[in-house]
Amino acid sequence: MVLISLTTDFGLRDHYVGVMKGVIAEIAPDAKLVDVTHEIPPQDLRAAAYVLWSSLPYFPADSVHLVVVDPGVGSARRAIASQTAWGVLVAPDNGVCSYVWAAAPPILTVELDNPHYRRAAVSHTFHGRDIFAPAAAYLASGTPLAELGRPVQAPVRLPTPAISVGEVEICGEVIYVDHFGNAVTSIGRLVWDGAMVHLDPAFGEAGRRIVAVGRVTVRAAGRDLGPIRRTYSETSPGEPLALVGSEGMLEIAVNQGSGAQVLELQPGDPVEVIAGR
Amino acid sequence: MVLISLTTDFGLRDHYVGVMKGVIAEIAPDAKLVDVTHEIPPQDLRAAAYVLWSSLPYFPADSVHLVVVDPGVGSARRAIASQTAWGVLVAPDNGVCSYVWAAAPPILTVELDNPHYRRAAVSHTFHGRDIFAPAAAYLASGTPLAELGRPVQAPVRLPTPAISVGEVEICGEVIYVDHFGNAVTSIGRLVWDGAMVHLDPAFGEAGRRIVAVGRVTVRAAGRDLGPIRRTYSETSPGEPLALVGSEGMLEIAVNQGSGAQVLELQPGDPVEVIAGR
Amino acid sequence: MVLISLTTDFGLRDHYVGVMKGVIAEIAPDAKLVDVTHEIPPQDLRAAAYVLWSSLPYFPADSVHLVVVDPGVGSARRAIASQTAWGVLVAPDNGVCSYVWAAAPPILTVELDNPHYRRAAVSHTFHGRDIFAPAAAYLASGTPLAELGRPVQAPVRLPTPAISVGEVEICGEVIYVDHFGNAVTSIGRLVWDGAMVHLDPAFGEAGRRIVAVGRVTVRAAGRDLGPIRRTYSETSPGEPLALVGSEGMLEIAVNQGSGAQVLELQPGDPVEVIAGR
């Protein structure tokens, strides 16, 4: 029983997600359906790319991941399916798979142009129902990826989240703010062993190395947040702090509060780790 | 593995939907459960009727559709199950199935009065758990519809969404506003082939025909919205427009905005398509 | 196919619930996943305890119930799994199972300290993914409870919801407010047979008995709400009332409105039933 995960910005108020599941159930009645989230901020490709990157490693490797965050629906943007070590992604060709590809490179990516594997009538406004859901369902039913369309050589990629390592500091940026107000940054995967900070970048350049010896200070929104903490409770309620989140990324948070709100952090805002202070 | 879809106005904050699924799993452990939506506006029968009409055709035809939008819970309104070509609907007898019946007429409708197929103790306030969920589960397990109760001859029907076709105009009304702010109207199924507008009414009178030759103008909220567009991107961001939505119905929208908000449209508001301008 | 239910305060905006389901699907691909709710008010153990108590009896008795409402994540609080007649609960040892245990006493409770049944790397901030989800999945796959860790003798318990029965009155408190604004109280299970009020306490002392003869009056928020009603419609729209809810507990509601809003009721607020008026 193959699993199909679903990630969209459709929200749960309307019936659009339910309709996609109906389409899938008709084609692949035995597929197991699991929602990742349907509350991606509308048309926010970077947020969706991050959510996929931090979710897919926890799913069975033979899963199919249906992604519909699609500002270009009805335009000429391509629809693709991409085999990776983290499963097959079915998505618009708009870069939403980029962060996954940085960790699990595309093995084969095809354009979903075989009309046999879409609905007979394709609307201009709901490709989730008419193209992406059928493709995911056929893949989950065992249809070979190569059947769905022609290979795509250069799928669209988003810029890699900014991270630069200097003599005494690492500079990164906020890449996602969760509903608790935790601001996840591009700085990671960081490991703080009490004496040294090791960096094993999640995106872009690879290779773990020591980036700081001794204490470091984290700076965000023009404020010093002190060293990297182990848990929220190492600061007083309401106080901002930096810690290594559940994905190994540096996160800015507030004990019993919202880091994003207290510090007015948004995706793209800079965050620094400064050594030796 | 039969599919049971669920459509309610319960929201997802409380445990009421989960409890119904527990009841179903006890009776029909193999049924596949798919949420259509639980965010129908409270007690809004027309919205629920529209959501069912636009969702059910995408589900397997042997599905069971559990519907609990039930302003009359605890009163004398009947509980029914209705076999159609779009599956069996299990719902209160308050008209919520009307729009589905307009497209897929009831083959057999019974009152859920056989106490064997409800919970032993029926509360006054939660028939979803005590009557509707067990009925849906027994049907999904293969219990014949006729076992569940006596045939109902004249189930309650809502008025058909307003649509009238004149010499030079079609008049309809807004029937649903989605969370993007798209206002779906009763005018459809419209096909604009570049030269002529064809109308194939979704509800009420049947039979496709030509309703206009040449350009048409759409009017809503006292404003001219120009001709029927093919995609959102044919207007500037923030500008209202009319287009044929994914169900073939005329929709009023705003490119990168909310049609319902910009034009202050609500269900029941009139919308016109005027020929030859 | 064993059922795993999920109850958390994670909300549905982020991918955290989806990630837990991915972890479960990897270990127990055949488990059926049912959400109870993910909208428990953040870190509200009493609300979660009530939701579990009022949901679990409706699930198959061999279900596994995954509960992650966990203010103490990363601290020394234990993680436990507890076999009861209502299934196995997998939860933090913070009292969240207390109300269930009052009705379905723990048969065997173990600490989840066997590293074989958690993820290899356990984060400080996401035990739902690293400890609780794997434990639930292994239990659903048939791993004996005793394998998961050492027996726990005295798991943490919350105080029992307040209820006291005097000569002429029953005093209780609000224990949960649902999204309709219905305020569920600790007073129940009440049965009003038209002549006498019978009380069969849900928590604490057991044994059904007559607590009042003739009419009673309900008082909440300093107001007389009149007798216990049978349905909402026995009062005018907007008027507050008391009735016996779907779980047999006394509830304070407003016909076509929000009881909690009109009367400004919150969990912990006192409610009284006074006999003979």
Side-chain angles (χ1 to χ4, degrees), chain B residues 32-87:
Chain B
K32 187 185 186 86
L33 302 176
V34 172
D35 299 308
V36 173
T37 176
H38 299 290
E39 306 283 349
I40 297 290
Q43 313 194 341
D44 186 337
L45 298 176
R46 286 167 56 111
Y50 168 74
V51 161
L52 293 170
W53 172 83
S54 60
S55 302
L56 269 47
Y58 300 98
F59 281 82
D62 63 349
S63 299
V64 175
H65 301 288
L66 173 57
V67 185
V68 194
V69 180
D70 193 11
V73 64
S75 75
R77 71 97 190 87
R78 294 179 294 198
I80 58 174
S82 178
Q83 175 73 58
T84 75
W86 290 1

Side-chain angles (χ1 to χ4, degrees), chain C residues 125-150:
Chain C
T125 53
F126 196 178
H127 287 187
R129 178 190 69 192
D130 301 332
I131 297 177
F132 297 111
Y138 282 112
L139 288 166
S141 306
T143 304
L145 180 59
E147 278 286 295
L148 271 65
R150 289 170 301 191

Side-chain angles (χ1 to χ4, degrees), chain C:
Chain C
M1 189 158 61
V2 171
L3 186 155
I4 299 178
S5 84
L6 297 95
T7 305
T8 77
D9 60 357
F10 290 176
L12 291 173
R13 225 209 55 160
D14 302 306
H15 47 295
Y16 305 131
V17 171
V19 164
M20 291 201 304
K21 292 180 178 175
V23 168
I24 291 171
E26 177 86 31
I27 298 167
D30 292 333
K32 186 186 186 89
L33 303 176
V34 173
D35 299 308
V36 174
T37 177
H38 299 289
E39 306 282 349
I40 297 288
Q43 313 194 341
D44 186 337
L45 298 176
R46 285 166 56 111
Y50 168 73
V51 161
L52 294 170
W53 172 84
S54 60
S55 303
L56 270 48
Y58 300 98
F59 282 82
D62 63 350
S63 300
V64 176
H65 301 288
L66 173 56
V67 185
V68 194
V69 180
D70 192 12
V73 64
S75 75
R77 70 96 190 85
R78 295 179 293 198
I80 58 173
S82 179
Q83 175 72 59
T84 74
W86 291 1
V88 184
L89 290 92
V90 176
D93 183 24
N94 58 17
V96 76
C97 306
S98 304
Y99 298 1
V100 169
W101 286 334
I107 295 163
L108 171 63
T109 302
V110 304
E111 183 174 357
L112 300 174
D113 58 7
N114 184 338
H116 188 68
Y117 299 107
R118 36 172 77 182
R119 287 180 52 81
V122 172
S123 67
H124 295 303
T125 53
F126 196 178
H127 287 187
R129 178 190 69 192
D130 301 332
I131 297 177
F132 297 111
Y138 282 112
L139 288 166
S141 306
T143 304
L145 180 59
E147 278 286 295
L148 271 65
R150 289 170 301 191
V152 167
Q153 295 313 333
V156 174
R157 289 185 188 247
L158 301 178
T160 302
I163 179 167
S164 69
V165 182
E167 284 290 308
V168 293
E169 81 290 327
I170 310 171
C171 299
E173 61 175 330
V174 173
I175 55 176
Y176 183 75
V177 176
D178 76 13
H179 92 287
F180 298 112
N182 298 321
V184 181
T185 77
S186 59
I187 301 176
R189 303 174 181 237
L190 278 183
V191 180
W192 163 239
D193 68 6
M196 287 178 293
V197 178
H198 304 261
L199 175 70
D200 184 4
F203 310 106
E205 42 169 339
R208 180 166 171 176
R209 57 195 155 138
I210 298 164
V211 288
V213 175
R215 287 173 64 86
V216 297
T217 297
V218 177
R219 279 188 66 84
R223 286 176 61 168
D224 271 7
L225 307 183
I228 299 173
R229 321 276 178 164
R230 194 170 158 282
T231 67
Y232 299 108
S233 55
E234 288 182 24
T235 60
S236 320
E239 200 187 325
L241 70 147
L243 80 179
V244 177
S246 61
E247 290 304 319
M249 313 300 279
L250 191 75
E251 290 185 18
I252 311 301
V254 160
N255 186 16
Q256 297 176 32
S258 163
Q261 223 159 21
V262 170
L263 299 175
E264 297 180 7
L265 286 173
Q266 293 181 348
D269 287 351
V271 175
E272 288 171 291
V273 178
I274 302 163
R277 291 214 303 203

